[in-house]
Amino acid sequence: MARQVLSRCTLISQNNPTKLLSSPVSLYSAVSTPEFEQAQDCEILPNSSNRNGREGHECREQLDKLRLLLQQDCKEDAYRLTKSIVLSKSSFSSAYDLLSSFSSCAPPLQLSLSNMLLYAYSELKMLNEATELYESMKSNGKVPSLASLKMFLTCLADSKQFDKTLHLFLEILESGYRPDTIMYGKAMQAAVKMRDIKRAMELLDSMKKREVRANVFVYNVLIGGLCKENRIRDAEMLFDEMCRKRLVGSTVTYNTLIDGYCKVGEVENAFKLREMMKKENVKPNLITFNSLLSGLCKTRRMDEARELLKEMEFNGFVPDGFTHSILFDGLSRCHEDKDVTDFYELAIGNGVTINNYTGSILLNKFCEKGNVDKAEEMLKKLIENGLIPDEVIYNVIVKGYCRIGDMNKAIMTVEQMEDLRLKPNCITFNTIIDKFCGLQNMDKAEEWVKKMTEKGVAPTIETYNSLIDGYGRLRTFDRCFEILEEMEQIGVKPNVKSYGSLINRLCKDGKILEAEILLRDMIGRGVFPNTHIYNMLVDGSFVGRKLKDALRFFDEMLKSEIKPTLVTYNLLINGFCKMGKLTEAEECLLQISAAGHSPDVITYNSLISGYANSGNALKCLELYETMKSLGMNPTVHTYHPLISGCGKEGVELVEKLFNEMLCMNLAPDRVVYNAMIHCYVENGNLERAYALYNEMLERGIHADKMTYNSLVLGNFREGKLSEIDNIIEAMKAKDMIPTADTYNILVKGHCNLKDYLGAYTWYREMFGNGFLLDATICNELTAGLKVEGRLQEAALICSEMSEKGMKNGSSSEELSAAIKM
């Protein structure tokens, strides 16, 4: 038998000498001649006492045959036999069982068999067996061949074991092997799937350094990862690099970039790519058209979308359910509810089958706008046209009722599901629970958690996150911590959102220390913070005017290699500006560009506000002109500090800014009106101030204390005391009780008019309402009262102020002595 096998192997080599070299296992270790001689003497026995008789004989024959094939380097036949033995699972129970039968053979022969087994297990997707064998080989000091490692790497990647794929690839690199393009591609794919695009890009750099040529698949993987993170500029750069290397993009390449452009709103660039596809003879497919349609619909360009749909059908592409979902979405965005209905009727008339996915998109668009009744009507039509609604459809309706706060109908919909023998799932319950948490009705939320478990639906991470957020809104932090403990006990690991919701509430409550303790607990439990967590901590620190803490959190963020976003820098700039640290804010502005971001309107609004508070109107105007030159459209919030900060520069400048705002179709709000009214009062134009006040009321914008304070001040300056009384009465009629600032204006105004008795009258009301007079105004009032001989009133003021811990020019004892004289 041995001679027959040997003769067959020799015949194959003679007839096709390249066949063995090109076999998938051609890189397995060969057995050298001296070792071959030694191996001939080894004895191979079935490694099982239960194998006897015919089974034992067949087993011995397989082993002998495999040994001879390995010794003669007939790797293709040896691999086929190894694969057959693995698939049969009858002769040998495990890799160890088979390998132990070769224990007396030479090490190179054992290594060849180990490599073949690793390759076979990997090719057959027997991941557990392949992993066990690989670990065994490592522990025994056996170095697997590159071919077997490549197949094992592919097996891991195809089995979505992405972390293990990356780990194995790094081991391959460290072992001194030179991975090929395919292996790099699998490693990059794993990194992208793990949302570690930084690691994927580092692997590309490694390829370049090792002079391993990247292919289209590699670029597709990286471009896809960058587009998912909306890093379209970086994706563009990779595409350009790919073109420079004369690699022609595939349909996948173009579709990925087109979809990326559409998702960031750059529809024109998406269509330019489509033209490039035509030049490169890369054929579009249905995905290409759907992505372009999605881009047009999201930007409400429905006429162009309709034309593209016609072109798509002309080219032989039949719109699928996803196509209709996109168009339903676009029509709904344009508030064309009738067109949605008409398009639905047209689709049904053309024989298009609306499945549950497309139906859910259609119904969701009505529900998002609060039109749940219309969604219910459409559901009836869908059912009439053959749709059998599933849990997804009813979950949309449940969510719709929750969105408008109609919990009774939401619960009725859940009951309707059960009547139809549809089982409410975790999404159903979580929708109800989340809404009750949002309404801060935690008793009801807990009641539905109990119902959820009673129905055999296990609470999910989303369930607990809703509860934590709900109790956090109520500042019931003890219960939040209890829920975190409960999660740990039942094996539901809290995620970033679990901690983030609680950290956010603690920060807003000024509890930065407690928030940091929670941060440390979070990291200790293996839940790593993201940018949003650090943004909360930075913002909370600035709100509490804890500059050192804010900077410490920012530094920690950088050390943890968590990339700050534009939001992070905007929070820093806003915090610096509010604390008057404008130099630091300007330095932070420079860091934005260095970090690859571009300042936005929020950035400039913060800076303008900071310089307005410092009284630097010229700098405010400079920043205003800069943002306009950069193509940024100012918002109403831009004009809040701008108008108030430039008020001292004169009415003409303020009016110019106000008119520019109107030309931009920005409607003035209360803050803008107050700034304008105050400016006119300061410049002695009370008539214009009242005109704006009346305009404000006509637009339905209610006046506040700042509005009335400005009008009171203006009337004092013109000596219209009766009008002042009317203003105060109007305030009180609107339940706006004057506060310290208003009373100080009233007292000061009467003092300026030498009406100290009138000032004293307001002082008495002020003190009676629990407010204290400003020290300087208090001195002015008591001095005036003494001049008028009203020593008793002056003494009372001094006594009352002294009791409240305030000092003024004359002591109550001095005034008492003066009264007695």
Side-chain angles (χ1 to χ4, degrees), residues 96-113:
Y96 175 78
D97 194 12
L98 178 57
L99 287 170
S100 63
S101 299
F102 282 73
S103 59
S104 61
C105 295
L109 189 141
Q110 293 179 43
L111 181 59
S112 291
L113 179 58

Side-chain angles (χ1 to χ4, degrees), residues 309-337:
L309 181 64
K310 290 177 184 176
E311 183 183 335
M312 173 181 166
E313 291 172 337
F314 179 78
N315 282 283
F317 292 103
V318 179
D320 61 1
F322 189 59
T323 314
H324 286 90
S325 303
I326 292 165
L327 291 164
F328 287 142
D329 176 60
L331 293 168
S332 299
R333 283 174 186 269
C334 297
H335 306 290
E336 300 177 15
D337 288 355

